[in-house]
Amino acid sequence: MADSPLAGRAAWLRAELARYDHAYYVLDEPLVPDAEYDRLFRELADLETAHPELSTADSPTRRVGGRPLAQFAPVRHDLPMLSIQTETDTGPSGALNFDARIRRELELAADAAAVDYAAELKFDGLAISLRYEHGVLVRGATRGDGTTGEDVTQNLRTLRQIPLRLTGDAADIPPLLEVRGEVYMRRDDLEKYNAAAAARGEKTLVNPRNAAAGSIRQLDPAIAASRPLCFFAYGLGAVDGWDLPKTHAGILDALAAFGLPVCEHRAVLSGGEALAGFHRRIAELRDSLPFDIDGVVYKVNDLALQRRLGFRSREPRWAVAHKYPPQEALTVVEAIDIQVGRTGALTPVARLQPVFVGGVTVTNATLHNADEVERKGGLCVGDTVIVRRAGDVIPEVLGVVAERRPADAVPFAMPDACPVCGAHTVREEGEAIIRCSGGFSCRAQRTQAILHFAGRRMMDIEGLGERFVERLVEFDYVHGVADLYKLQLDDLLAMKRRADEKDGVTPETAKAGKIPTRWAENLLAGIEASRQPSLARLLFALGIRHVGESTARTLADWLGSIERVRRAPAPLLAVLPDIGTTVAAAIADFFAEERNVAAVDALLAAGVQPADEHAPNPALAERLNWVELYAALGVPKLTPVRARQLAGVADGAALANGTVDAATLSSAGLPGEVIDALLDWLQRPGMRGLLAGVAMRRNELLAALPAAVDLPPTQDSAVTGKTFVLTGTLPTLKRDDARDMILAAGGKVSGSVSKKTDFVVAGEEAGSKLDKAVELGVAVIDEAMLLEMLNTGSNT
Ligand code: IVH
């Protein structure tokens, strides 16, 4: 049979597909397009279905399918799966101690040469053992108690990184080779998987480690197949008929040559200091690795020395795991508070028993929203939870340890009323967020709105931090943002006195009979200095829903004045670039609301005036045509094509005052049903008014346009149209200022470096963005070069 042409074809297909899998999943260098892979895969599957005798254990078709098991069969490991000693001293001495111990146990003299170690990462997943007989994967097992594990072959076959047949010369493949390693899940894969699971309304996976362990221990291989798992080999189990390499590093090289994935972050190092250096280097890399590690592992590299050192109970003497501070920890939820944001969004926040995690003491963690809490299996006050804090990311509750729930645990539910102002809460259709309906009468929303207003990228009021704003609102010195501009020195001093009284503190200075006023004067100066913001900053500062920095800039650039922005009806805004109907409606709604009108009027009356108001953008003339405007009205059945026909016979003013009859519309070629829908729409309350408003504001805008001939031609610079990334501290410019200058010159500024980046502007202590730029070959410039580019025409 083996010699038949069909058997030959099947063997060839298996080998090719295995080669493609290895290239794609292990080397990350795909060889063929997906379609070609799929074609060959289907051919093999069809062949095996037609001729079941051709099917083999190492066929890639075995990676999918398989029936659910009733239970896992126990597997006795020929060679026990050992554990590893841990060095919990997370400082450099952890490495030095290990080296000193090894030298002692080997009885090396003080002046004997340094010992070589293989240093690698300690992956945070599930330990497994893969058994290859004559190069074919015949069994995969978990560690279990180290002596007996579980047969999880079906599930492990679904991991594309695990070769079903070892690669290399048949003569070099040992009759028996057991490979030990770690199954893990990448963090980005976990996030993607969880997002999809959440969208399906399914429970999410807690963390990468649980995800790996939980997936491999599923009886149904279809579940394991649906989880994005990866594998790293780090050692050997039972081996027969193989002339072992002389070193651990040599073994890993050999495993890689057999087609097994071996992590690239490994090194052979001499002596304890070098190990400490590795520990430190990997610590810096930790947050940017795509998977979780909880330490590094050092192994005596020379196998002969390993044998001399031997074992102590279930641990080898020649290896140690040198840990890092944990990024996850268990703690108890003492309370669940609700925070109310600027837009009224209610966010549950867990108050935690203080716990040291990710290098800091964490006392609270966001729970995001009610749906998230639900997906984590519900949460009670009193629950023990897993908290994670990695890098600069805000602490997060990953999940609940169900078996530790106390009998008196109090289940958490989102409140029906705002905990700050008592207004009822609402949940918009299809939204996960629950909001306070109190609007600006809610103290929390007011506080947050004022903080937003004062923010660095908005009005940039120096010295106006959270504590001050809270106090100013609490004692009613500031009700709305305009009140900031009425504050007097005495107000601030009185507020401070009341705050101190309330806190029960008597400042030293007060005891000494002196009252410090400097801080208050500085704050007043900060407020004063913000009276003439750019129009874009002012618009952003108002906190209009969906209006971020770039939308605010578009509004400012195109309309040129606060008056024109606030008066523009939604359809008029919707014809501006990058402003869709949702955003346009949000802006118009904002300025239609009485309290917002009052707030803006009060601001202007208090002397706040944008410094850069100007005539509308001349290009507006093209945008304000009735074809576009009609299309933005949201009239049923009025597609862009129909809008064009309509605009041919009637403008908005004519439609609004009813001088256009059905016959005229029909003459434009509009079908009856579109005419009916249009006339119907015109009858709806408010629609004629809206149309008349659009017509009027349109005329005003057109009248405000500068005469085209008077316009100086817009001067392009070398910056125009280019994308910049700013990193590090620039010598003279603040980063915000540099950004503003680039944007003003028609360039773009992005937060991250990619192939689309034209220039990276690097200042002092530029970090990973600079590295990325160098890696991608993106041009790196300094502040001086940027300034020069800003002053240079694009043709120079
Ligand atoms: S070697 C002879 N190397 O850590 C020592 N283990 O207690 C056997 N682990 O759950 C283990 N990364 O799965 C070794 N690079 C690495 C490792 C590693 C993670 C896990 C292993 C086991 C635990 C050891």
Side-chain angles (χ1 to χ4, degrees), residues 50 140 792:
T792 325

Side-chain angles (χ1 to χ4, degrees), residues 82-84 120-124 126-127 143 181-182 234 297 299 316 318-319:
L82 302 173
S83 65
I84 196 167
E120 51 200 58
L121 307 185
K122 187 168 189 305
F123 314 107
D124 206 1
L126 177 75
R143 178 167 180 270
E182 198 91 351
Y234 56 61
V297 178
K299 298 170 183 172
W318 43 263

